[in-house]
Amino acid sequence: MYKGYKTCLLIDDNYIDNFVTRRILENSNFAENIVVQQSAFDAIEAIKTGQVKPDVIFLDLRMPMMNGFEFLQEYDKLPEQNKSASKIFMLSSSLDPVDVKRSGQNKYITQFIHKPITQKILEELSA
């Protein structure tokens, strides 16, 4: 099912969620490289410096220090060449309709996905 993505960036502070999501991404051959950042701040720095050039980002919403929406505010400030190729999927366990609505209104969010990610969801994203 390899979509042709070169680099997928997974941003989530939860080690277990990262482990599970990464395994599902690897087993589906979703991307050549899967980079995991447990901090949205570290992820922004990695994108800003060019250390990571993601085609796809799976972004958790609820994280300490910098949440998903704060990440998006910082992401918006990046130069266009650092962000132009990225699709961002909000990957969250939040059931709050306000979070879903706010995600839908953000110009960078392609889709809000409820955790856990599944093979079926990845197939739909690749269709």
Side-chain angles (χ1 to χ4, degrees), residues 93-108:
S93 56
S94 173
L95 298 175
D96 186 343
V98 174
D99 289 338
V100 176
K101 182 178 180 185
R102 190 171 171 199
S103 293
Q105 294 170 337
N106 187 287
K107 67 182 177 181
Y108 295 111

Side-chain angles (χ1 to χ4, degrees), residues 33 44 99 125 127:
N33 305 304
I44 278 290
D99 289 338
L125 297 180

